[in-house]
Amino acid sequence: MPTFQRNPQEVQTAAAAIMERHKTHAPLLDRKVRIDYLFAFGDRDETTGELTGPALKQYGVGCLGICRKVNLRDRTKGMGDVEISVDGDWWESADQAERDALLDHELHHIAVTEKVDALGRPLIKLRKHDFQFGWFT
């Protein structure tokens, strides 16, 4: 089973810079959307230390990042409005341009509505991909 840890400050700093740089993310800043960032690390073979599977899966397929809305109950406990999980094993080998591209991609999934929830926090919808490609090998 994958393990999780909070991302270091460098991830939050990189994401904040991306939101400032790209006007498409202005609604996130304007509405003060709170985002929690997590690293996920895949299972490793006890003997070799090699990865035995992806750290993150969506619809049964390995992926590098996942964006999800945080439910009202967890928001009440102090969690953010949205959670972005990133494959920590991949992150360690990625260069800054790749890291920024992944964060930008995950941030684009967040759509802020004009409504607020029971806590007065912005109501979030998740934006799906404009195009979805898949294939079999």
Side-chain angles (χ1 to χ4, degrees):
M1 178 165 230
T3 59
F4 293 89
Q5 74 178 42
R6 276 193 155 312
N7 288 131
Q9 184 62 41
E10 72 174 286
V11 176
Q12 294 174 30
T13 301
I18 291 166
M19 287 188 276
E20 287 287 338
R21 192 167 51 243
H22 300 289
K23 298 302 178 205
T24 54
H25 298 307
L28 302 178
L29 296 172
D30 294 344
R31 297 295 305 279
K32 296 179 175 61
V33 174
R34 292 180 35 223
I35 304 171
D36 292 332
Y37 299 91
L38 296 175
F39 275 147
F41 296 95
D43 290 335
R44 296 191 176 274
D45 182 275
E46 292 180 18
T47 307
T48 65
E50 295 292 317
L51 283 171
T52 59
L56 295 169
K57 284 185 181 180
Q58 192 162 38
Y59 309 115
V61 179
C63 58
L64 299 178
I66 296 175
C67 181
R68 75 170 188 94
K69 293 188 305 184
V70 175
N71 64 42
L72 182 61
R73 181 176 179 225
D74 288 338
R75 290 167 93 171
T76 302
K77 294 179 189 177
M79 291 179 64
D81 303 313
V82 179
E83 178 184 281
I84 294 177
S85 299
V86 174
D87 183 328
D89 301 305
W90 171 84
W91 185 269
E92 293 171 1
S93 64
D95 64 33
Q96 194 59 50
E98 293 169 321
R99 291 173 176 181
D100 286 352
L102 179 62
L103 289 173
D104 183 49
H105 174 93
E106 295 306 325
L107 289 167
H108 269 97
H109 281 292
I110 306 168
V112 185
T113 71
E114 293 299 319
K115 298 178 182 178
V116 295
D117 65 13
L119 300 172
R121 301 293 309 146
L123 199 61
I124 305 295
K125 290 189 174 192
L126 290 184
R127 182 180 296 133
K128 294 183 179 184
H129 296 123
D130 295 331
F131 300 96
Q132 189 75 29
F133 298 97
W135 54 88
F136 299 97
T137 55

